[in-house]
Amino acid sequence: MTDALLVIEKLSVSYRGGGRAAHVLDGIDITIGRGQSVGLVGESGSGKSTVAFAMLGLLAGNAEVSARRAVFDGRETNFATGEATALRGTDIAMIFQDPMTALNPMFTIGSQLVDIQRRRFPKESRRKLWARAEAVLADVGVPDAAGRMHCYRHEFSGGMRQRVVIAMALLVEPKLLIADEPTTALDATIEAQVVEVLRRLRQRTAASMLVVSHSMGLIAELCDSVVVMYAGTVVESGPVRAVLHRPRHPYTRALLACEIDPYAAFDPAQDLATIPGSVPDLVRRPAGCIFAARCPARQDHCTCKPPHRQASSGQAYACWLEAA
Ligand SMILES: Nc1ncnc2c1ncn2[C@@H]1O[C@H](COP(=O)(O)OP(=O)(O)OP(=O)(O)O)[C@@H](O)[C@H]1O
Ligand SMILES: [Mg+2]
């Protein structure tokens, strides 16, 4: 893709500890087009946040990063040297899972919304930055934004705090907005409201988005395409509609089967589907298909690395089953 904002090829991350190395990401490929919204989905521990953190230079000190190639906005970037750190807060902004950790309890929301803009607009007056902040706060649906600018973190409810965090990310006018589980800390009603704010934003901003979530439902609401991760590898990717309509990889199918359908009548007798087995040992990754041990469609040759297949729907998947 020539007009891609971000291209990452073969991103690998290992965490060292106790004389062992856990290979948490094993050659991840991700491309995000300009103005496009991409979802990153997978079970807990599949490495979604590690991908986001690597892009921002936020990985823990025991992480070892390598990538064959990384290009952001037409410039080669080296994740291993922490070059990506320079993009944080200017070209790339992040909406974290827990708004409590993103907001400082000691300062008013207004002063934090002003400070976040300083790197992006170093010459702008405080008055101008304050006015911008107030306007964006109103825009993300905080009532009485002018008055609320003078309040502290504890004076906001969970949903309002998450709106503040979204405003914070918008104020730096990033080229890429990363939202890591933006609604998991919220209850269902508030979650719906925050999703609505993100959806409106998606329609109006020219920024690209990377939405990290374990919920395919959320990804479907907010994204054009999806990357499905399992144990640090990409097992399937493609347009959201195509993947939802006809998931090709057995893991994607299993993941979708585990989702609660909000429109289905509640049947207390029916058990929620789960994927049997557990994620593989990341210290000694299996040589063949990473999902084989839990796969209902497993065959003998799944002990060898599966081929990468392309479907006419735009889906790409790694599986031995031809018409998986
Ligand atoms: N600093 C660290 N040292 C060692 N292992 C780590 C470290 N940080 C993360 N991990 C491991 O890396 C793996 C991937 O973690 P990551 O947080 O990226 O998963 P995730 O898909 O975001 O999960 P979740 O949905 O729970 O947020 C996990 O097995 C985790 O335990
Ligand atoms: Mg995570």
Side-chain angles (χ1 to χ4, degrees), residues 15-16 22 24 42-51 60 62 97 180-181 212 214 282:
Y15 288 112
R16 275 172 286 104
V24 166
E43 276 170 287
S44 182
S46 56
K48 306 178 298 292
S49 295
T50 302
V51 172
N62 62 336
Q97 176 172 346
D180 188 0
E181 307 275 8
V212 175
H214 56 262
L282 298 176

Side-chain angles (χ1 to χ4, degrees), residues 199 217 221 259-266:
R199 200 166 38 188
E221 296 238 33
E259 294 245 333
I260 302 170
D261 180 355
Y263 304 108
F266 178 62

Side-chain angles (χ1 to χ4, degrees), residues 219-231:
I219 302 272
E221 296 238 33
L222 295 173
C223 302
D224 309 300
S225 58
V226 62
V227 173
V228 183
M229 280 182 66
Y230 179 71

